[in-house]
Each structure stands twice: as C-alpha cells, then as structure tokens.
Amino acid sequence: MASNIMSKCLLALLLLNLLSYNVQAQLSSSGFYARSCPKLQSIVSSTMAKAVANEPRMAASILRLFFHDCFVNGCDASVLLDDTPTFTGEKNAFPNQNSLRGFEVIDRIKSLVESSCKATVSCADILALATREGVVRLGGPSWPVALGRRDSTTASQSAANSNLPGPASSLSALISAFAAKNMSPRDMTALSGAHTIGLARCTTFRSHIYNDNNINSNFAALRKRNCPSSGGDNNLAPLDGLQGANRFGAHFYQNLVAGRGLLHSDQELFNNGSQDSLVRQYSANTQLFFRDFAAAMVKMGALSPLTGNSGQIRLNCRKTN
C-alpha cells in the first residue's frame, strides 16, 4: 500500500513538472532573435528612449497597451489591429476607447525592425520589449522578457469588454479577473502599481471623488477642481494620486494608505480588505514592490502566447498580412 501511494505521488509530481515545463517552453530566452535580428534590442531601447524623453507619459501608455493586449486572449498583439470588414477590433472596446495610445510608437519600432530584419520579429514581442524599456526609463525595475510570441490574425472587441477590469471594480472583482488569468491577488496588487505612472481621464474617477467615502476629503476637493460633476470628461490627473506621472516608485501605495487613490478600483486595494497588509508593505519597501512587479510582469507576459506555427509575423502591426 505504501509503495502504491508513493508511486502515485511521484507520478503526480512528474505531471506537475511536465506541465510547468510546457508552460515555460512556450517562449524562449531573451536571446531568441540574437542571430536573426541582432539589432532588435538596441532599436527598441533607442526608440523608446526618444519617445519617453519627448513625452514621459508614453511609458505608461505602452505599459497599458501591453496589459490590455495580454488580458484579452493572451499576449498576441491583437490590441494593435485596426477594424476590418471581417472583424471588429479591440481599440474601440469600452475599456480602450479614448484611452489607449502609443500605437504610433510601436509602429515606429516595427518599421525600424523591418528595415533591419524583415518578417522576423512579431509585434507581440516588440510590445513586450517596449513595455520593459518604458518602465526602466522612468526608474522602474527591469525583468527578463522571454521571446518567441507570434501575432494573432484576429481580435475580439467582446473579449476586451468582458476581460478587462474597469476603474469602478470592487476588490473581489479585481481578484476574480486576475484569477481567471491564473494570477494571484499578490500579482494583481503588484501589477496595480503600474498606476505609479500615467494619467487618467476625469470620467474614470469622477464617481470616486464625488460619491465614495473611502477617500481623503482634501484630496477629493483637489481633484474636483479639474474634474467637475459634469463636463470635462477628458481632463487629466495623475494616476498615482499626487506626486505626478513621470517616476516609477512606491508612492502609489503610500497614497492609497493615505486615502488618496485616484480610481475607485485602486483604493479598493486599501479599504479594510485582504490586500491592506501588502499595500502597507509596498508603501514602505520600494524594492519589495519592484521585485514583485517584475515577477508579475514575467507571468503576465506568458499569458497564452501564440508560438511555433500559430499566428503570423505581421509586417504591419495594424493589419494582418
């Protein structure tokens, strides 16, 4: 009996190891294009350096593009596709409309890459690399970007509408949305720290500053100056609450502890709930936040990639070949 139980345990362990290997083997090392496109990394790095120097907010915009791509049918660059007569793309889905930006930066990188190594590097991999470069340019952590993704040949507006958590989400809804992607509450809280950079439109936080009780009254009054109860939908405010939009750090969590979360969904991370302790830890330990953010970005970048013979290498990120 004991030997039978031991055999079953060893078999279960072997299956788990094989599953883990298959997931990791979907993508290759960061040297995937070392021979086929040796200038790739330098092209992405230099182009993002110029883009962020010209407009620091662009780092947040590219990061948002990556998140909104990966959470909808995996990291396949579907978010970059324009509408066609045969399918409606994701750009005008409710969470993306009048919100996603940075497409022209990815187009620029893709054009330079195509000139260096034609039909070799996917838009999905370019977006993954550009995302890391943008974060690093604003003082955030780096992480290894596994490569080998291929591009989708279609997109899904309905999936974008249903998969992406919104600014009015509750903590339980956020946890569920990330769990559906095999990501933990800790992953979710760390990735929410992306809001340490970037700006948000008045329409996304108006309800929070006018209707919620879990908000610092002085902070609410400050934000109301630029976000009236009606009108001014496109007026902008920094996502991190107060400090600004151009430096990646732990101030986002410090503001949550002080009741200065700009979005309802962000303040839900510190609202007498299960993530309060972790938010306090991140607010006091930038390196812990950086470590967990980098690990979660690696995990997110491996969400359902197209590899091998699946998909294609698009020549233009906005349309299929």
Side-chain angles (χ1 to χ4, degrees):
M1 178 66 74
S3 61
N4 188 38
I5 293 175
M6 180 64 73
S7 297
K8 289 181 178 180
C9 289
L10 289 173
L11 178 60
L13 182 60
L14 176 62
L15 291 173
L16 284 173
N17 287 337
L18 285 173
L19 178 61
S20 175
Y21 173 79
N22 287 334
V23 171
Q24 294 173 11
Q26 288 179 334
L27 298 175
S28 300
S29 71
S30 57
F32 184 80
Y33 298 107
R35 292 186 177 181
S36 60
C37 194
K39 294 182 179 178
L40 172 63
Q41 299 279 355
S42 62
I43 291 172
V44 175
S45 180
S46 61
T47 307
M48 282 301 295
K50 292 175 183 176
V52 174
N54 182 59
E55 183 189 6
R57 182 189 175 196
M58 191 53 67
S61 297
I62 299 299
L63 176 54
R64 182 174 171 82
L65 267 182
F66 185 58
F67 175 82
H68 282 227
D69 180 44
C70 292
F71 254 58
V72 181
N73 298 326
C75 306
D76 59 4
S78 59
V79 74
L80 304 178
L81 287 170
D82 291 335
D83 293 352
T84 75
T86 58
F87 68 82
T88 302
E90 297 162 20
K91 291 182 177 179
N92 287 312
F94 183 74
N96 297 337
Q97 195 173 42
N98 300 316
S99 173
L100 290 186
R101 57 196 300 274
F103 298 104
E104 71 285 353
V105 175
I106 301 302
D107 291 340
R108 193 176 310 132
I109 297 172
K110 178 63 172 175
S111 177
L112 292 170
V113 169
E114 284 297 308
S115 296
S116 181
C117 38
K118 190 173 180 60
T120 301
V121 182
S122 68
C123 299
D125 277 347
I126 286 173
L127 181 55
L129 288 168
T131 297
R132 179 185 63 185
E133 288 301 315
V135 169
V136 171
R137 291 289 164 183
L138 294 189
S142 184
W143 59 90
V145 177
L147 300 170
R149 300 170 188 80
R150 288 169 65 84
D151 300 322
S152 67
T153 56
T154 188
S156 175
Q157 187 174 106
S158 61
N161 281 325
S162 61
N163 285 197
L164 293 166
S169 297
S170 66
L171 178 60
S172 60
L174 291 170
I175 290 174
S176 295
F178 279 75
K181 305 299 179 183
N182 294 317
M183 303 192 81
S184 69
R186 191 180 188 96
D187 294 328
M188 180 271 294
T189 299
L191 288 174
S192 295
H195 288 173
T196 188
I197 55 175
L199 303 171
R201 296 162 61 232
C202 168
T203 187
T204 65
F205 61 85
R206 176 183 287 119
S207 179
H208 179 50
I209 62 175
Y210 281 95
N211 301 324
D212 286 352
N213 295 320
N214 61 336
I215 185 171
N216 178 285
S217 59
N218 291 331
F219 174 68
L222 174 66
R223 288 292 157 244
K224 287 176 183 178
R225 295 178 191 173
N226 194 44
C227 184
S229 57
S230 63
D233 285 0
N234 292 322
N235 293 350
L236 300 173
L239 273 163
D240 79 338
L242 284 177
Q243 274 79 357
N246 301 336
R247 191 68 184 170
F248 202 97
H251 40 270
F252 168 74
Y253 299 101
Q254 294 161 5
N255 283 324
L256 292 185
V257 172
R260 296 193 295 254
L262 184 66
L263 304 181
H264 173 89
S265 55
D266 285 341
Q267 195 59 59
E268 281 286 284
L269 301 178
F270 191 84
N271 191 31
N272 298 314
S274 63
Q275 300 306 293
D276 282 17
S277 176
L278 184 57
V279 168
R280 284 192 185 277
Q281 291 179 55
Y282 288 160
S283 73
N285 190 335
T286 300
Q287 291 308 309
L288 175 63
F289 161 49
F290 278 14
R291 186 197 71 190
D292 285 1
F293 180 84
M297 287 298 292
V298 170
K299 196 171 180 179
M300 188 174 72
L303 287 177
S304 305
L306 296 174
T307 57
N309 294 320
S310 299
Q312 62 182 211
I313 303 297
R314 285 189 224 137
L315 302 181
N316 181 328
C317 291
R318 294 175 181 263
K319 62 182 182 181
T320 59
N321 298 339

mmCIF file of all heavy atoms in Angstrom, residues 140-175:
data_model
loop_
_atom_site.group_PDB
_atom_site.id
_atom_site.type_symbol
_atom_site.label_atom_id
_atom_site.label_comp_id
_atom_site.label_asym_id
_atom_site.label_seq_id
_atom_site.Cartn_x
_atom_site.Cartn_y
_atom_site.Cartn_z
ATOM 1 N N GLY A 140 11.882 52.460 -13.034
ATOM 2 C CA GLY A 140 11.310 51.216 -12.538
ATOM 3 C C GLY A 140 12.230 50.032 -12.721
ATOM 4 O O GLY A 140 13.347 50.161 -13.241
ATOM 5 N N PRO A 141 11.787 48.841 -12.310
ATOM 6 C CA PRO A 141 12.627 47.652 -12.386
ATOM 7 C C PRO A 141 12.701 47.096 -13.803
ATOM 8 O O PRO A 141 11.845 47.366 -14.645
ATOM 9 C CB PRO A 141 11.899 46.668 -11.464
ATOM 10 C CG PRO A 141 10.451 47.049 -11.610
ATOM 11 C CD PRO A 141 10.459 48.558 -11.726
ATOM 12 N N SER A 142 13.723 46.310 -14.041
ATOM 13 C CA SER A 142 13.829 45.556 -15.287
ATOM 14 C C SER A 142 13.405 44.113 -15.013
ATOM 15 O O SER A 142 13.285 43.698 -13.852
ATOM 16 C CB SER A 142 15.258 45.595 -15.817
ATOM 17 O OG SER A 142 15.355 44.937 -17.065
ATOM 18 N N TRP A 143 13.174 43.358 -16.059
ATOM 19 C CA TRP A 143 12.838 41.938 -15.911
ATOM 20 C C TRP A 143 13.199 41.234 -17.211
ATOM 21 O O TRP A 143 13.277 41.865 -18.277
ATOM 22 C CB TRP A 143 11.362 41.743 -15.573
ATOM 23 C CG TRP A 143 10.401 42.304 -16.593
ATOM 24 C CD1 TRP A 143 9.869 41.661 -17.685
ATOM 25 C CD2 TRP A 143 9.834 43.634 -16.605
ATOM 26 N NE1 TRP A 143 9.036 42.494 -18.375
ATOM 27 C CE2 TRP A 143 8.989 43.704 -17.738
ATOM 28 C CE3 TRP A 143 9.974 44.743 -15.773
ATOM 29 C CZ2 TRP A 143 8.281 44.871 -18.063
ATOM 30 C CZ3 TRP A 143 9.274 45.902 -16.097
ATOM 31 C CH2 TRP A 143 8.436 45.956 -17.221
ATOM 32 N N PRO A 144 13.451 39.931 -17.152
ATOM 33 C CA PRO A 144 13.766 39.186 -18.375
ATOM 34 C C PRO A 144 12.517 39.030 -19.240
ATOM 35 O O PRO A 144 11.464 38.601 -18.758
ATOM 36 C CB PRO A 144 14.257 37.834 -17.852
ATOM 37 C CG PRO A 144 13.612 37.697 -16.509
ATOM 38 C CD PRO A 144 13.509 39.082 -15.948
ATOM 39 N N VAL A 145 12.608 39.414 -20.503
ATOM 40 C CA VAL A 145 11.479 39.281 -21.428
ATOM 41 C C VAL A 145 11.720 38.069 -22.316
ATOM 42 O O VAL A 145 12.562 38.107 -23.218
ATOM 43 C CB VAL A 145 11.301 40.545 -22.286
ATOM 44 C CG1 VAL A 145 10.172 40.346 -23.296
ATOM 45 C CG2 VAL A 145 11.005 41.755 -21.398
ATOM 46 N N ALA A 146 11.001 36.994 -22.037
ATOM 47 C CA ALA A 146 11.073 35.822 -22.902
ATOM 48 C C ALA A 146 10.440 36.181 -24.245
ATOM 49 O O ALA A 146 9.487 36.962 -24.301
ATOM 50 C CB ALA A 146 10.348 34.647 -22.255
ATOM 51 N N LEU A 147 10.971 35.627 -25.320
ATOM 52 C CA LEU A 147 10.527 35.999 -26.657
ATOM 53 C C LEU A 147 10.103 34.768 -27.455
ATOM 54 O O LEU A 147 10.273 33.641 -27.013
ATOM 55 C CB LEU A 147 11.651 36.749 -27.378
ATOM 56 C CG LEU A 147 12.116 38.048 -26.699
ATOM 57 C CD1 LEU A 147 13.390 38.572 -27.344
ATOM 58 C CD2 LEU A 147 11.007 39.095 -26.747
ATOM 59 N N GLY A 148 9.556 35.019 -28.621
ATOM 60 C CA GLY A 148 9.080 33.933 -29.463
ATOM 61 C C GLY A 148 7.583 33.974 -29.689
ATOM 62 O O GLY A 148 7.013 33.052 -30.280
ATOM 63 N N ARG A 149 6.929 35.048 -29.243
ATOM 64 C CA ARG A 149 5.493 35.200 -29.491
ATOM 65 C C ARG A 149 5.264 35.435 -30.985
ATOM 66 O O ARG A 149 6.099 35.986 -31.681
ATOM 67 C CB ARG A 149 4.930 36.404 -28.725
ATOM 68 C CG ARG A 149 5.079 36.334 -27.226
ATOM 69 C CD ARG A 149 4.714 37.674 -26.586
ATOM 70 N NE ARG A 149 5.026 37.696 -25.158
ATOM 71 C CZ ARG A 149 6.246 37.905 -24.658
ATOM 72 N NH1 ARG A 149 7.249 38.136 -25.494
ATOM 73 N NH2 ARG A 149 6.452 37.891 -23.363
ATOM 74 N N ARG A 150 4.086 35.044 -31.431
ATOM 75 C CA ARG A 150 3.655 35.370 -32.781
ATOM 76 C C ARG A 150 2.364 36.187 -32.690
ATOM 77 O O ARG A 150 1.752 36.282 -31.624
ATOM 78 C CB ARG A 150 3.477 34.094 -33.611
ATOM 79 C CG ARG A 150 4.841 33.462 -33.964
ATOM 80 C CD ARG A 150 4.699 32.077 -34.543
ATOM 81 N NE ARG A 150 4.008 32.046 -35.823
ATOM 82 C CZ ARG A 150 4.590 32.263 -37.011
ATOM 83 N NH1 ARG A 150 5.887 32.540 -37.069
ATOM 84 N NH2 ARG A 150 3.896 32.186 -38.126
ATOM 85 N N ASP A 151 1.985 36.774 -33.807
ATOM 86 C CA ASP A 151 0.860 37.704 -33.816
ATOM 87 C C ASP A 151 -0.442 37.032 -34.227
ATOM 88 O O ASP A 151 -0.454 36.160 -35.108
ATOM 89 C CB ASP A 151 1.149 38.857 -34.789
ATOM 90 C CG ASP A 151 2.395 39.633 -34.421
ATOM 91 O OD1 ASP A 151 2.634 39.826 -33.208
ATOM 92 O OD2 ASP A 151 3.120 40.065 -35.339
ATOM 93 N N SER A 152 -1.513 37.473 -33.617
ATOM 94 C CA SER A 152 -2.833 36.944 -33.959
ATOM 95 C C SER A 152 -3.275 37.478 -35.316
ATOM 96 O O SER A 152 -2.791 38.507 -35.791
ATOM 97 C CB SER A 152 -3.851 37.342 -32.895
ATOM 98 O OG SER A 152 -4.043 38.751 -32.910
ATOM 99 N N THR A 153 -4.224 36.804 -35.909
ATOM 100 C CA THR A 153 -4.788 37.244 -37.181
ATOM 101 C C THR A 153 -6.204 37.777 -37.011
ATOM 102 O O THR A 153 -6.890 38.046 -37.991
ATOM 103 C CB THR A 153 -4.796 36.094 -38.202
ATOM 104 O OG1 THR A 153 -5.506 34.972 -37.642
ATOM 105 C CG2 THR A 153 -3.371 35.649 -38.520
ATOM 106 N N THR A 154 -6.621 37.922 -35.768
ATOM 107 C CA THR A 154 -7.945 38.459 -35.491
ATOM 108 C C THR A 154 -7.928 39.128 -34.119
ATOM 109 O O THR A 154 -6.932 39.059 -33.403
ATOM 110 C CB THR A 154 -9.022 37.357 -35.535
ATOM 111 O OG1 THR A 154 -10.323 37.944 -35.442
ATOM 112 C CG2 THR A 154 -8.832 36.366 -34.383
ATOM 113 N N ALA A 155 -9.028 39.781 -33.784
ATOM 114 C CA ALA A 155 -9.158 40.443 -32.488
ATOM 115 C C ALA A 155 -10.592 40.270 -32.013
ATOM 116 O O ALA A 155 -11.459 39.841 -32.771
ATOM 117 C CB ALA A 155 -8.796 41.919 -32.601
ATOM 118 N N SER A 156 -10.852 40.601 -30.758
ATOM 119 C CA SER A 156 -12.191 40.397 -30.199
ATOM 120 C C SER A 156 -12.599 41.569 -29.317
ATOM 121 O O SER A 156 -12.118 41.695 -28.191
ATOM 122 C CB SER A 156 -12.242 39.098 -29.387
ATOM 123 O OG SER A 156 -13.498 38.952 -28.750
ATOM 124 N N GLN A 157 -13.475 42.405 -29.814
ATOM 125 C CA GLN A 157 -13.964 43.511 -29.014
ATOM 126 C C GLN A 157 -14.789 43.002 -27.833
ATOM 127 O O GLN A 157 -14.705 43.558 -26.729
ATOM 128 C CB GLN A 157 -14.816 44.454 -29.866
ATOM 129 C CG GLN A 157 -15.221 45.718 -29.126
ATOM 130 C CD GLN A 157 -15.949 46.709 -30.011
ATOM 131 O OE1 GLN A 157 -17.159 46.875 -29.894
ATOM 132 N NE2 GLN A 157 -15.220 47.378 -30.892
ATOM 133 N N SER A 158 -15.558 41.947 -28.042
ATOM 134 C CA SER A 158 -16.377 41.409 -26.955
ATOM 135 C C SER A 158 -15.509 40.875 -25.828
ATOM 136 O O SER A 158 -15.823 41.055 -24.647
ATOM 137 C CB SER A 158 -17.307 40.304 -27.482
ATOM 138 O OG SER A 158 -16.561 39.230 -28.026
ATOM 139 N N ALA A 159 -14.388 40.228 -26.158
ATOM 140 C CA ALA A 159 -13.482 39.725 -25.119
ATOM 141 C C ALA A 159 -12.830 40.879 -24.364
ATOM 142 O O ALA A 159 -12.636 40.814 -23.149
ATOM 143 C CB ALA A 159 -12.425 38.828 -25.734
ATOM 144 N N ALA A 160 -12.510 41.950 -25.078
ATOM 145 C CA ALA A 160 -11.941 43.123 -24.416
ATOM 146 C C ALA A 160 -12.945 43.734 -23.454
ATOM 147 O O ALA A 160 -12.597 44.146 -22.333
ATOM 148 C CB ALA A 160 -11.504 44.155 -25.450
ATOM 149 N N ASN A 161 -14.193 43.778 -23.849
ATOM 150 C CA ASN A 161 -15.230 44.336 -22.981
ATOM 151 C C ASN A 161 -15.464 43.488 -21.736
ATOM 152 O O ASN A 161 -15.790 44.011 -20.669
ATOM 153 C CB ASN A 161 -16.545 44.480 -23.752
ATOM 154 C CG ASN A 161 -16.564 45.697 -24.650
ATOM 155 O OD1 ASN A 161 -16.008 46.730 -24.318
ATOM 156 N ND2 ASN A 161 -17.202 45.580 -25.807
ATOM 157 N N SER A 162 -15.273 42.182 -21.851
ATOM 158 C CA SER A 162 -15.591 41.294 -20.729
ATOM 159 C C SER A 162 -14.388 40.946 -19.867
ATOM 160 O O SER A 162 -14.542 40.617 -18.688
ATOM 161 C CB SER A 162 -16.233 40.001 -21.247
ATOM 162 O OG SER A 162 -15.349 39.299 -22.104
ATOM 163 N N ASN A 163 -13.174 40.993 -20.413
ATOM 164 C CA ASN A 163 -11.990 40.526 -19.687
ATOM 165 C C ASN A 163 -11.279 41.597 -18.883
ATOM 166 O O ASN A 163 -10.599 41.293 -17.907
ATOM 167 C CB ASN A 163 -10.973 39.917 -20.659
ATOM 168 C CG ASN A 163 -11.366 38.537 -21.150
ATOM 169 O OD1 ASN A 163 -10.539 37.801 -21.667
ATOM 170 N ND2 ASN A 163 -12.637 38.177 -21.027
ATOM 171 N N LEU A 164 -11.382 42.853 -19.306
ATOM 172 C CA LEU A 164 -10.586 43.910 -18.691
ATOM 173 C C LEU A 164 -11.315 44.536 -17.507
ATOM 174 O O LEU A 164 -12.431 45.047 -17.663
ATOM 175 C CB LEU A 164 -10.263 44.989 -19.725
ATOM 176 C CG LEU A 164 -9.334 44.535 -20.847
ATOM 177 C CD1 LEU A 164 -9.349 45.532 -21.999
ATOM 178 C CD2 LEU A 164 -7.903 44.352 -20.323
ATOM 179 N N PRO A 165 -10.716 44.505 -16.310
ATOM 180 C CA PRO A 165 -11.356 45.138 -15.146
ATOM 181 C C PRO A 165 -11.402 46.644 -15.317
ATOM 182 O O PRO A 165 -10.478 47.245 -15.882
ATOM 183 C CB PRO A 165 -10.458 44.730 -13.979
ATOM 184 C CG PRO A 165 -9.121 44.429 -14.608
ATOM 185 C CD PRO A 165 -9.415 43.895 -15.965
ATOM 186 N N GLY A 166 -12.478 47.265 -14.839
ATOM 187 C CA GLY A 166 -12.657 48.696 -15.013
ATOM 188 C C GLY A 166 -12.334 49.497 -13.768
ATOM 189 O O GLY A 166 -12.096 48.939 -12.686
ATOM 190 N N PRO A 167 -12.343 50.822 -13.878
ATOM 191 C CA PRO A 167 -11.975 51.696 -12.754
ATOM 192 C C PRO A 167 -12.981 51.691 -11.607
ATOM 193 O O PRO A 167 -12.669 52.186 -10.526
ATOM 194 C CB PRO A 167 -11.896 53.080 -13.403
ATOM 195 C CG PRO A 167 -12.784 52.983 -14.603
ATOM 196 C CD PRO A 167 -12.619 51.589 -15.105
ATOM 197 N N ALA A 168 -14.164 51.119 -11.826
ATOM 198 C CA ALA A 168 -15.162 51.034 -10.755
ATOM 199 C C ALA A 168 -15.204 49.649 -10.117
ATOM 200 O O ALA A 168 -16.072 49.371 -9.282
ATOM 201 C CB ALA A 168 -16.545 51.405 -11.298
ATOM 202 N N SER A 169 -14.245 48.781 -10.469
ATOM 203 C CA SER A 169 -14.251 47.401 -9.981
ATOM 204 C C SER A 169 -14.058 47.326 -8.467
ATOM 205 O O SER A 169 -13.298 48.095 -7.883
ATOM 206 C CB SER A 169 -13.141 46.595 -10.656
ATOM 207 O OG SER A 169 -13.342 46.506 -12.043
ATOM 208 N N SER A 170 -14.734 46.354 -7.856
ATOM 209 C CA SER A 170 -14.529 46.061 -6.439
ATOM 210 C C SER A 170 -13.295 45.193 -6.276
ATOM 211 O O SER A 170 -12.762 44.650 -7.252
ATOM 212 C CB SER A 170 -15.740 45.320 -5.884
ATOM 213 O OG SER A 170 -15.856 44.032 -6.500
ATOM 214 N N LEU A 171 -12.837 45.027 -5.047
ATOM 215 C CA LEU A 171 -11.673 44.180 -4.789
ATOM 216 C C LEU A 171 -11.957 42.747 -5.223
ATOM 217 O O LEU A 171 -11.115 42.100 -5.849
ATOM 218 C CB LEU A 171 -11.298 44.220 -3.306
ATOM 219 C CG LEU A 171 -10.109 43.339 -2.895
ATOM 220 C CD1 LEU A 171 -8.850 43.747 -3.651
ATOM 221 C CD2 LEU A 171 -9.877 43.420 -1.390
ATOM 222 N N SER A 172 -13.133 42.244 -4.908
ATOM 223 C CA SER A 172 -13.459 40.866 -5.283
ATOM 224 C C SER A 172 -13.483 40.700 -6.797
ATOM 225 O O SER A 172 -13.042 39.664 -7.324
ATOM 226 C CB SER A 172 -14.807 40.449 -4.686
ATOM 227 O OG SER A 172 -15.854 41.283 -5.159
ATOM 228 N N ALA A 173 -13.966 41.716 -7.517
ATOM 229 C CA ALA A 173 -13.996 41.644 -8.975
ATOM 230 C C ALA A 173 -12.579 41.661 -9.544
ATOM 231 O O ALA A 173 -12.273 40.949 -10.511
ATOM 232 C CB ALA A 173 -14.810 42.798 -9.545
ATOM 233 N N LEU A 174 -11.705 42.464 -8.949
ATOM 234 C CA LEU A 174 -10.316 42.507 -9.391
ATOM 235 C C LEU A 174 -9.628 41.166 -9.171
ATOM 236 O O LEU A 174 -8.943 40.649 -10.054
ATOM 237 C CB LEU A 174 -9.560 43.606 -8.634
ATOM 238 C CG LEU A 174 -9.941 45.050 -8.952
ATOM 239 C CD1 LEU A 174 -9.282 45.992 -7.947
ATOM 240 C CD2 LEU A 174 -9.534 45.425 -10.373
ATOM 241 N N ILE A 175 -9.830 40.600 -7.983
ATOM 242 C CA ILE A 175 -9.211 39.311 -7.668
ATOM 243 C C ILE A 175 -9.713 38.241 -8.632
ATOM 244 O O ILE A 175 -8.937 37.423 -9.137
ATOM 245 C CB ILE A 175 -9.491 38.929 -6.205
ATOM 246 C CG1 ILE A 175 -8.706 39.862 -5.266
ATOM 247 C CG2 ILE A 175 -9.109 37.472 -5.942
ATOM 248 C CD1 ILE A 175 -9.030 39.671 -3.794
#
